[in-house]
Amino acid sequence: MSTQPQALSLIHDEGDLREHLQPVCVGASILGYSYARCFVEAYGIKPILISGIDVKVTSSSRFCEYRLVPGIEDESVLVPYLCNLGRQLEQQGKCGLLQGSVDWNARIISAHKEELSQWFVVPYIDFDLLDRITQKEEFYRICDQLGIAYPRTWYLDCSDKDYQLDTSAFPYPLIAKPSNSAAYDLLEFPGKKKIYEIETPDELQRAFDAVRSSGYDHKLIVQDFVPGDDDAIRSLTTFSDAQGNVRVVAGGRVVLQDHSPLALGNPVCILSEKVQKIVDDATRFVKHVGYHGYANFDIKYDSRDGSYRFFEVNTRPGANTYYVTLGGVNFVKPIVEDWVLGRELPYQEAYDPYVYTLIPKKIVQRTVADEALRDQVLSMYASGQAHSPLFCSKDTLKHQIWARLMWDRQVSKFKKYVWDTNGKQADVD
């Protein structure tokens, strides 16, 4: 992009950041809070966080300026608001640095990157590339070219109202999920799930009918179910420079995922782990497409053949990107060093031992079936190596109360959806 904020020319080194840089984050989720916390810890700068709802755990924080903007999920509200904010920042001699928390706002920001770049540094790939590689069919086509493993996949066109699904043509069990998660996330309908676990032909028909009738007019992906529990999942985060070269890499083994219907598949506990094979595959992918900035990959180990199968790329920092910070690299620093200060980054691996967690250890004790993994993770809780991004003693008392409430509520959620899979009844405080 040739367009740059005028105030960017005022920033020559880190000493200029506090006077002239204003981070802005759309969304107040766990990533939004992590973004604010890490900016304060790295540079002493409070980001502006914009949200359509009052997320108490974040709005109560001293690490951000929280702005409640109803309707912000609507592109016609968000873009004019950001443009007006950008003009205000320019008048104050400040350069905005714009970040989103979830797929849909990252997509909108990228789509309006040229316009927003008048006032903001926008650390996202251009929309044409973002739109292309977030379509699962195109992502898997690229994986084919590069020899990257992924699950056997079929595509069902939800835009064709006359299409008759032949459920007998598939092996079972299966996983079904939307190819366009950003479009799907904005829909509400009875029985909506993030991911559909399909055991029978009737279940596949019901899932397809529900998604198609919701107004979703993209493709529904149906995939071979890769066997394994939550702990077969791997998460990998890369930051690559303008030439597509990976400069920062971090990742881990998912210990547990959320199992509630609308959050199914979101990791809530991750153990640091380096798998060179998936680092190599992701490195080839971002270099091949010319990816600049943060990317997050979802992968699953397939015990049938020992492969690591890639599911998708998220074209933004993932919700759990705080694990990069736990691994040894404050995750906002590569953004600032590269996109704001224009520095060449050294290659860094963020694999310091950690457990990234949003759940009490009681849940690990009661739900992790692999005894060796369970004991390893519990020992890291005991030794102080398990951390939640929401727990920070330097934040307000009100924030800490909300963080504790969220933490404790996870127990009732897991009791409802997953409990005692290892057969143990011991209660752990």
Side-chain angles (χ1 to χ4, degrees):
M1 287 289 178
S2 58
T3 304
Q4 287 188 337
Q6 291 185 10
L8 183 60
S9 64
L10 302 174
I11 301 175
H12 303 288
D13 53 41
E14 287 194 13
D16 299 322
L17 294 175
R18 294 190 69 170
E19 183 177 357
H20 296 295
L21 184 67
Q22 179 56 67
V24 175
C25 185
V26 181
S29 62
I30 291 169
L31 179 61
Y33 179 81
S34 301
Y35 186 71
R37 174 179 177 173
C38 287
F39 246 105
V40 169
E41 291 175 347
Y43 301 110
I45 304 173
K46 288 186 180 182
I48 296 170
L49 263 58
I50 304 164
S51 178
I53 58 175
D54 186 0
V55 181
K56 297 293 188 181
V57 73
T58 306
S59 65
S60 60
S61 173
R62 64 164 48 101
F63 296 151
C64 66
E65 178 186 333
Y66 197 95
R67 297 191 181 184
L68 190 61
V69 183
I72 204 72
E73 68 279 355
D74 189 327
E75 187 170 359
S76 66
V77 174
L78 176 59
V79 175
Y81 181 87
L82 290 175
C83 289
N84 185 54
L85 174 59
R87 294 185 191 98
Q88 294 173 9
L89 294 176
E90 183 179 58
Q91 291 170 2
Q92 299 166 16
K94 290 185 177 292
C95 172
L97 174 60
L98 187 57
Q99 183 72 59
S101 290
V102 293
D103 287 334
W104 68 263
N105 51 47
R107 187 176 178 86
I108 292 173
I109 290 168
S110 176
H112 293 270
K113 182 176 177 180
E114 185 170 8
E115 179 181 8
L116 293 169
S117 293
Q118 297 175 73
W119 309 286
F120 297 95
V121 172
V122 184
Y124 288 99
I125 54 176
D126 292 347
F127 184 74
D128 286 349
L129 178 58
L130 181 148
D131 190 50
R132 182 163 66 91
I133 65 177
T134 53
Q135 302 297 324
K136 303 294 194 301
E137 192 168 3
E138 176 64 12
F139 175 72
Y140 295 138
R141 188 189 68 78
I142 297 171
C143 286
D144 265 334
Q145 287 182 342
L146 300 178
I148 297 172
Y150 62 91
R152 186 182 178 191
T153 303
W154 300 264
Y155 305 93
L156 309 182
D157 189 356
C158 293
S159 66
D160 183 355
K161 303 305 179 184
D162 298 323
Y163 174 70
Q164 298 296 314
L165 176 63
D166 179 8
T167 58
S168 67
F170 301 91
Y172 294 86
L174 299 164
I175 293 292
K177 57 188 177 183
S179 65
N180 190 318
S181 58
Y184 183 77
D185 287 348
L186 299 177
L187 299 172
E188 296 294 338
F189 58 93
K192 179 182 178 182
K193 296 181 180 180
K194 182 180 178 183
I195 298 172
Y196 298 84
E197 297 177 336
I198 307 294
E199 297 286 344
T200 67
D202 286 346
E203 288 181 0
L204 177 58
Q205 186 69 60
R206 286 197 297 271
F208 177 66
D209 289 345
V211 173
R212 181 168 60 173
S213 62
S214 73
Y216 176 78
D217 58 0
H218 299 271
K219 291 181 180 179
L220 184 70
I221 292 176
V222 177
Q223 290 184 321
D224 171 40
F225 176 75
V226 178
D229 294 330
D230 291 356
D231 56 22
I233 300 290
R234 302 297 189 270
S235 176
L236 186 75
T237 295
T238 62
F239 184 93
S240 47
D241 62 22
Q243 289 73 47
N245 300 309
V246 169
R247 309 316 301 156
V248 178
V249 63
R253 179 181 184 180
V254 174
V255 179
L256 284 170
Q257 300 181 100
D258 196 314
H259 283 261
S260 59
L262 293 180
L264 184 65
N266 291 340
V268 293
C269 187
I270 300 173
L271 173 68
S272 59
E273 178 191 72
K274 181 183 177 184
V275 179
Q276 190 62 48
K277 170 60 176 171
I278 63 176
V279 173
D280 292 344
D281 285 347
T283 297
R284 291 203 314 281
F285 182 92
V286 296
K287 181 65 175 179
H288 177 78
V289 302
Y291 196 102
H292 186 195
Y294 270 114
N296 173 247
F297 296 87
D298 295 332
I299 305 136
K300 191 172 185 180
Y301 174 72
D302 191 339
S303 59
R304 295 171 298 187
D305 60 5
S307 65
Y308 288 90
R309 299 190 179 271
F310 279 61
F311 288 164
E312 64 182 346
V313 59
N314 299 298
T315 51
R316 58 177 177 85
N320 301 303
T321 305
Y322 188 73
Y323 71 59
V324 179
T325 301
L326 294 179
V329 178
N330 183 311
F331 85 91
V332 304
K333 295 198 77 171
I335 301 173
V336 174
E337 292 283 318
D338 184 316
W339 289 84
V340 177
L341 297 175
R343 294 176 177 170
E344 183 175 345
L345 299 177
Y347 179 73
Q348 300 173 85
E349 295 185 345
Y351 286 105
D352 291 352
Y354 66 79
V355 170
Y356 168 99
T357 184
L358 303 174
I359 56 175
K361 62 182 179 180
K362 175 188 293 187
I363 295 174
V364 175
Q365 174 72 36
R366 301 288 285 266
T367 62
V368 176
D370 184 311
E371 184 176 358
L373 176 63
R374 185 174 67 247
D375 289 348
Q376 180 184 3
V377 173
L378 288 173
S379 71
M380 294 178 75
Y381 271 81
S383 65
Q385 292 176 293
H387 302 278
S388 166
L390 299 178
F391 286 160
C392 183
S393 60
K394 295 181 181 179
D395 212 335
T396 66
L397 177 60
K398 188 176 180 181
H399 163 81
Q400 293 179 61
I401 292 171
W402 281 108
R404 174 56 66 175
L405 286 171
M406 289 182 64
W407 179 263
D408 291 340
R409 284 173 185 162
Q410 290 284 357
V411 174
S412 60
K413 181 188 288 189
F414 271 81
K415 280 183 177 180
K416 182 176 181 179
Y417 296 107
V418 185
W419 206 238
D420 287 331
T421 60
N422 62 22
K424 292 199 172 186
Q425 300 297 319
D427 192 13
V428 181
D429 294 330

